[in-house]
Structures are given as C-alpha cells and as structure tokens.
Amino acid sequence: MATTTQTNAQAESSLGFFGQVNKMFDRAAAHTDHDRGVLHQIRACDNIIRFEFPIQRDDGSIQVVRGYRGEHSHHMQPTKGGIRYATSVNVDEVMALSALMSYKCAIVDVPFGGAKGGVCIDARNYSIAELKRITRRYTFELARKDFIGPGTDVPAPDYGTGEREMAWIMDTYTQLGDEDLNALACVTGKPVGQGGVRGRTEATGRGVYYGIREACAYDKDMERFGLEPGLEGKNIVIQGLGNVGYHAARILEAEGGANIVGIAEIEGAIYDPDGLSVEDVVAHRQDTDSILDFPGAENIKTSAKALELPCDILIPAALEGVITADNAPNIQATIIAEAANGPVTSQADDILQEKQVMIIPDVYLNAGGVTVSYFEWLRNLSHVRHGRMSRRFEERNAERILRAVDELTAEDFNEDLLESLIEQVSFGAGERDLVNSGLEDTMTQAYREIREIREEKDVDMRTAAFVSAIDKIANSYEQMGIFP
Ligand code: NAD
C-alpha cells in the first residue's frame, strides 16, 4: 500500500503542474471535434521569460532575485494574469497558471489571453522598502522586454501581492512610458485612488461566493450529492485566509448564511462544529499573530489535516497541489470549491470523482478576479468611473416615473407613502453596485453554460469547464482564420 502511494505521488510530481493542467485539457478535448492542430495551439504556452536581477537589501548587501512572466495565449490581446510572490514560483508553475488564465478568461467571456508572472521570494522575509525595490525592478524588466502594457500584457494581484504592489507597478510603468494616455491600464487591482475599481479587492472571493451559491441552487444536483439545496447552514472548511479566502469566507457567512466550521492557515487550523465568526478569527489573528487558540475552537496541528475535516464544502484558497493521491481518500467533504488555482492534482481528481465528490473547478470558480479586472481595465481606457454619468439620471428618472404613476392612477398615494416609495426605488447604481452586478451575472451565466455542457456530454464539472474554454478559444482562432 505504501509503495502504491509513493508511486502515485511520484507520478504526480513527474507530470508537473503544467502537465496536470494539460491532462485535464486532453480529457476535455476528447469530447470536442476540433482539429488536432488547433487543440495543440490552444494548449501550447506562447512565450515565457525568466530573468534575474540584483536588489539591495536594507543592510546594504546585494541579492539576486529571479522573476518570470509567461504569456500562454495570444488568441485575444492583451494577455492578462496575476503576479505571484512565492518560493514555489518556477517555469512549470508559471506555464500552468498562465494556461489556467487563458481557459478562465474564455469561460467567463473576458476578452483576454492568459498570462502569469512571479518572483521567487517569500515576501514575509522582506521589508516594505525591499519589496518596493523588487517590484519596481521586476516591472522595469517586464517593460524592457515588452511584457507589460495596456494593450500587451496586464498584470494583477495573486498570491503574496496586492494593491500596494499594483500601485508600484503602475507608477514604474508610467514613469517609463512615453506620456501614454492609457498607462493606468497597464495593471489592474490598483488602489481606488489610483485608477482601481471599487469591488476589485474582494472580487475573487465574492465570485467564489456567487459560484458556490449557484452550484447549490439546483435541487437535482444537490439531491444527487445528498445535500439540501441552498447555502444556508452548509458547513464549510476553508484553507487560506488571504485575499481570496478571507473575502469568500466572510461573504459566505454574512450573505449566504453558511456555517464556517474550520479555518486553516500556515500556522495550523481551528475547528468548531458550531461555527466560527470569520471577523473574530481575523481580529484574534491580528492580536496574537495566529489563528490557533481561538476561544471555543479545537486546534488542528497542521493545515493539511484540516482538509480532512467533516464538512459539506471544502474550500482550498491557498496554493496548488494540496489535495493529492495521498490525502484524497480521506477527504470527507461533499463539495470541493477550488478557490485557489490547481489545489487538486489530476490523480486526486480521479479518486474524488470515484468517491462522488462534486468539484467546482478553479478555471471557473476563481474567475471573479479577472472579471472585475476587466471592468477596471475598461474604466482606465474610458477614463471615467463606472456609473458616473448615469447614477443621478437613474435616480431622478425613477422618481419621475413614480410621481407620474401617482398622478395618472386613480390610486391617490398619501405623501408619506409616495416619499418612502421614491426613497426605495429611486436608486442610481454606483460603481460598486455595477461591478458586483456584472460579476454576479458573469458567474451565474458561466455556471449555467458549464452545467449545460456537463448534462449534454455526461461529464464532470471540470471537464465541462475545459470543453467550454476549448470551444470558445478554438472558435476565435477559426474566426481569425489562423488555420485556413
Ligand atoms: P494571499 O497571499 O492573499 O493569501 C494566501 C493565504 O494563504 C495567506 O494568508 C497565507 O498565509 C495562506 N497560506 C499559505 N500557505 C498555506 C497553507 N499551507 N495552509 C493554509 N494557508 C496557507 O493570496 P490570494 O491572492 O488569496 O491567492 C490564493 C489563491 O487564489 C492562489 O492559488 C491564487 O493563485 C488564487 N487566485 C487569486 C486571485 C486574486 O485575485 N488574488 C485570483 C484568482 C486566483
């Protein structure tokens, strides 16, 4: 038994992350009838660069840092994808993550090709000043190599980076640019005061919420997995309380009525079957530097062990490859919602399908970030905040309609009722309302498309999501006439 497990683990690692993504791609491609050459082109990673540059540490010493950027597909331009700061960053990871970005953008109809980049550092070991020097120099290298620009390649936040780093990238690019009027659109996920869009920070987590909510909305599907429809009261375990994990957990609890029973972070995990308050856990972590010893909760020694806790929905929201052939047999969750990229290896996927676990795949579920990045990019190119020209007009219009109804109908509203109706109805959408509404519509629509493919081809959700991506990318190649 031990030998078999070792062989499985070895087989997984020899395939690599990009190999695993391609295995999932091939499985889906078998359900399409596209030309083999087209399929080969969709799979291939177009460009990848690796570079090294020196930075000065605060103590005056010089350290050489390694950076990467991969542009997987140029069937749409610009290419788009996050920048990750982690020691795991390597060529294989960048190729895999950029491929997932291509498929993700296609699934949610966002007109970008896929890209991804990263710097091979543990950001916790650097001061803010050092991180700023690394980010600026990394951007300079990208610009010199033509791997960044509003119409070329547009980075965004990912693991270990956030709006602070995006502001540094934007500032560096703007300094280098030749008075490019659209320079702000060279990166998304910026702070709102610097061209960012309201709702981007929590967009991936909010998208995860909309995706899970939609998945739980179908009586027939829930019945198949022995669950009640709806999110209310569902027990959830989440791994990773960073940008994606924190917002997903917070919104699932506050808006979905779900019960967050387990939270795992780098230092270990906590479990309380009666439910944890996400905000209280975050406050406790801020006070004590750890989620452990949270009042009323049981400590679980390792983050990995928390993946095996009993729950309805397990949400890995940290890094890839956390559910493998080794631990997949021990997973107790009925649904795995892949908020992180690539958390389930392809061999684990086979085991989980066998166990009848429903997987909501990463290529769909964490697409909220790139969807709202698209809204930010559009805002930067149009040089106007979403809703700025229509909000007041919409408010007034709704008020005018109500007053006209009041005058034209026999119904004579009393003045208080009329005023209260006007207050409720005459509401012009601000930027955040528009962004959230666009995000909700995108996630809901994409889920329905994938589910339809799943039903039609009798496949699992991941295969259906890849089929959706392959069909859309193949169509755009074919329409462009690249394959006459
Ligand atoms: P983040 O850096 O904000 O947060 C990651 C969190 O995971 C951190 O709190 C970290 O301490 C924790 N963590 C690290 N190792 C862990 C472990 N072994 N167990 C438990 N927790 C651990 O990163 P993020 O932006 O939230 O990204 C998380 C995942 O979501 C990544 O796979 C990323 O590619 C994916 N993703 C992010 C975005 C985005 O908009 N930020 C979009 C799509 C996908």
Side-chain angles (χ1 to χ4, degrees), residues 11-323:
E12 284 183 341
S13 66
S14 70
L15 206 53
F17 191 6
F18 189 49
Q20 303 219 15
V21 172
N22 285 337
K23 200 173 152 193
M24 294 169 184
F25 178 98
D26 290 343
R27 188 180 297 165
H31 292 273
T32 71
D33 51 12
H34 298 291
D35 181 279
R36 276 171 66 89
V38 176
L39 291 170
H40 193 173
Q41 168 57 24
I42 297 172
R43 245 178 66 139
C45 182
D46 291 352
N47 297 333
I48 177 133
I49 45 164
R50 194 202 86 160
F51 46 92
E52 306 206 356
F53 54 86
I55 63 124
Q56 190 161 37
R57 302 292 308 251
D58 290 342
D59 65 5
S61 64
I62 303 292
Q63 188 189 335
V64 177
V65 172
R66 185 175 297 163
Y68 300 85
R69 184 77 181 165
E71 295 175 347
H72 173 261
S73 175
H74 288 81
H75 72 287
M76 297 257 177
Q77 275 179 289
T79 49
K80 185 97 188 69
I83 306 269
R84 173 176 285 197
Y85 286 180
T87 50
S88 62
V89 175
N90 59 33
V91 171
D92 176 59
E93 187 185 82
V94 170
M95 284 166 71
L97 292 170
S98 64
L100 287 175
M101 280 305 297
S102 294
Y103 307 141
K104 199 176 299 183
C105 291
I107 287 167
V108 290
D109 292 321
V110 163
F112 296 134
K116 204 78 178 191
V119 179
C120 190
I121 54 165
D122 183 340
R124 292 170 304 173
N125 298 337
Y126 294 83
S127 70
I128 293 178
E130 289 170 336
L131 288 172
K132 191 194 279 188
R133 288 198 285 277
I134 292 170
T135 308
R136 286 188 178 281
R137 180 61 191 255
Y138 175 74
T139 310
F140 175 77
E141 295 291 334
L142 291 183
R144 267 207 333 191
K145 296 166 173 66
D146 204 19
F147 270 73
I148 184 171
T152 315
D153 187 353
V154 184
D158 193 74
Y159 186 95
T161 63
E163 58 178 35
R164 181 183 66 186
E165 287 73 16
M166 302 306 116
W168 292 333
I169 291 174
M170 186 270 287
D171 186 54
T172 310
Y173 180 82
T174 316
Q175 304 291 326
L176 292 169
D178 209 6
E179 291 186 22
D180 180 356
L181 200 60
N182 293 323
L184 272 186
C186 74
V187 64
T188 59
K190 303 178 290 289
V192 169
Q194 292 180 293
V197 74
R198 284 164 187 80
R200 171 60 183 91
T201 310
E202 67 268 34
T204 309
R206 179 166 285 283
V208 167
Y209 161 65
Y210 290 140
I212 298 176
R213 190 187 67 183
E214 187 63 19
C216 292
Y218 296 87
D219 294 6
K220 200 173 124 199
D221 293 0
M222 290 300 99
E223 202 177 299
R224 190 189 304 174
F225 293 102
L227 294 173
E228 289 293 316
L231 258 178
E232 185 84 31
K234 291 261 182 316
N235 289 331
I236 294 184
V237 171
I238 191 151
Q239 182 190 51
L241 210 49
N243 175 282
V244 178
Y246 162 66
H247 289 293
R250 177 181 67 78
I251 299 169
L252 280 159
E253 184 193 9
E255 295 180 31
N259 207 16
I260 311 294
V261 294
I263 297 180
E265 250 300 334
I266 213 154
E267 61 271 17
I270 50 174
Y271 176 62
D272 183 348
D274 293 332
L276 299 155
S277 152
V278 177
E279 294 296 5
D280 289 352
V281 173
V282 169
H284 172 79
R285 191 170 194 230
Q286 264 160 8
D287 291 346
T288 66
D289 271 345
S290 170
I291 58 168
L292 297 176
D293 300 324
F294 183 73
E298 179 192 338
N299 284 341
I300 311 278
K301 226 174 181 182
T302 64
S303 166
K305 265 285 159 222
L307 299 171
E308 300 173 12
L309 286 168
C311 61
D312 298 315
I313 306 174
L314 172 65
I315 308 180
L319 279 172
E320 61 265 19
V322 293
I323 303 178

Side-chain angles (χ1 to χ4, degrees), residues 3-14:
T3 323
T4 315
T5 310
Q6 266 176 16
T7 316
N8 283 341
Q10 278 163 3
E12 284 183 341
S13 66
S14 70

Side-chain angles (χ1 to χ4, degrees), residues 410-463:
E411 193 79 52
D412 208 1
F413 297 122
N414 78 37
E415 203 46 39
D416 283 351
L417 177 60
L418 183 62
E419 287 309 319
S420 113
L421 280 173
I422 287 172
E423 204 177 295
Q424 285 170 43
V425 176
S426 64
F427 169 77
E431 184 167 72
R432 189 180 292 276
D433 306 308
L434 291 169
V435 162
N436 288 349
S437 157
L439 175 61
E440 182 174 10
D441 185 54
T442 302
M443 294 304 293
T444 309
Q445 194 53 36
Y447 190 88
R448 288 178 190 167
E449 281 178 23
I450 298 168
R451 188 174 177 275
E452 228 165 81
I453 296 173
R454 183 194 74 185
E455 298 290 286
E456 185 196 315
K457 299 199 182 280
D458 193 20
V459 291
D460 59 280
M461 283 304 277
R462 191 192 309 282
T463 305

